[in-house]
């Protein structure tokens, strides 16, 4: 019998217009060229407690590159990317995440500093700038490189039994930009990427309660065969998927850091992830799937997991 992890957020993708804009909770993925939109509060559709007030409102973008061109030209060395975060509502902490060709780019908050996949930064009311430094790694097999900018809300919040995580770990994002490089400039990614065969997925094997939905695109759950991540997509495309626990990249599909899988509404990928590096107790998992074609929007899922040594 399958055992479901409590899924706290299912695909909370917030679409941004061009390089910068206010957040929206819509799941539309069409790219409207230079469109002006009136957007609603991004957290209005998140799970909240009865007495919690929706009072977060912010926008973010890339500050030090041309937002109309939506491209970065890289010629070597450490790349500096400035994120602008303008807070109109309550102050909070957030953490940028950067992906090129679906590969996570650890960054430092100062030149030649310690690089991490996501770092927590406090932002105050008004205009804020978060400066990041990366040494880009690209997939040498990619014909065209794309860079994805994500912003995670409250990335260091700890899970407490019986308490809601509220908005923590929600993902906001910009539309993907082009990443143009000199032939010899970027480092080539040398880690492990595993291919997963696309198969028809019967979600009833994993999710059986009345809250489950065919619209769900990605879920983390337990089965009697181990700890699984199930990926389903809407529009047929190839995704590169990675999984984080407590902000650190996990091993998936035996010893890989990423898996590539073609997914659509009925078919997708099912693969295991390794909890051996986690201590016993509660942890926050979040999975991110980056499209490997012309789609400009990633998918994200957040769940909690209780690790019991010797069991999972």
């Amino acid at each position: 019998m399958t055992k479901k992890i409590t899924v706290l957020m299912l695909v909370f993708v917030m679409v941004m217009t061009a390089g910068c804009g206010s957040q929206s909770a819509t799941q539309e993925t069409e790219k409207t060229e230079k469109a002006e939109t009136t957007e609603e509060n991004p957290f209005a559709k998140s799970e909240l407690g009865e007495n919690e007030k929706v009072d977060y409102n912010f926008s973010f973008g890339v500050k030090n590159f041309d937002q109309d061109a939506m491209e970065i030209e890289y010629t070597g060395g450490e790349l500096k990317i400035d994120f602008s975060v303008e807070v109109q509502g309550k102050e909070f902490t957030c953490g940028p995440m950067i992906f090129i060709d679906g590969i996570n780019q650890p960054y430092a908050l100062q030149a030649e500093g310690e690089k991490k996949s996501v770092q927590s930064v406090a932002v105050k009311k008004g205009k804020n700038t978060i400066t990041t430094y990366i040494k880009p790694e690209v997939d040498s097999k990619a014909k065209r490189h794309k860079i994805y900018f994500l912003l995670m809300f409250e990335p260091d919040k700890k899970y407490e039994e019986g308490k809601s995580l509220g908005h923590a770990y929600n993902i906001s994002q910009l539309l993907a930009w082009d990443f143009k490089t000199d032939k010899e400039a970027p480092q080539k990614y040398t880690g492990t990427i595993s291919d997963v065969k696309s198969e028809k997925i019967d979600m009833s094997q994993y999710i059986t309660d009345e809250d489950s939905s065919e619209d769900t695109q990605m879920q983390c759950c337990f089965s009697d065969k181990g700890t699984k991540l199930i990926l389903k997509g809407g529009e047929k495309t190839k995704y590169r998927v990675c999984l984080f626990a407590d902000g650190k990249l996990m091993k998936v599909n035996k010893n890989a850091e990423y898996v590539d899988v073609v997914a659509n509404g009925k078919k997708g990928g099912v693969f295991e992830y390794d909890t051996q590096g986690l201590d016993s107790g509660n942890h926050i998992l979040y999975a991110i799937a980056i499209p490997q074609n012309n789609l400009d929007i990633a998918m994200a899922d957040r769940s909690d997991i209780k690790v019991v040594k010797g069991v999972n």
Side-chain angles (χ1 to χ4, degrees), residues 10 201-204 207 210-219 232-234 264-267:
L10 301 176
I201 298 176
D202 179 5
M203 293 302 290
S204 65
I207 307 297
E210 61 185 6
D211 293 330
S212 64
S213 168
E214 287 300 317
D215 295 331
T216 298
Q217 293 180 302
M218 185 161 53
Q219 295 182 346
K232 291 178 70 177
N264 58 31
K266 295 181 180 179
K267 290 187 176 182

Side-chain angles (χ1 to χ4, degrees), residues 17-19 31 66-72 175-179 296:
T17 59
K31 184 176 177 180
D66 188 342
Q67 295 181 12
D68 291 325
M70 294 178 64
E71 67 179 35
I72 290 178
L175 294 174
W177 288 28
D178 287 324
F179 185 75
D296 291 319

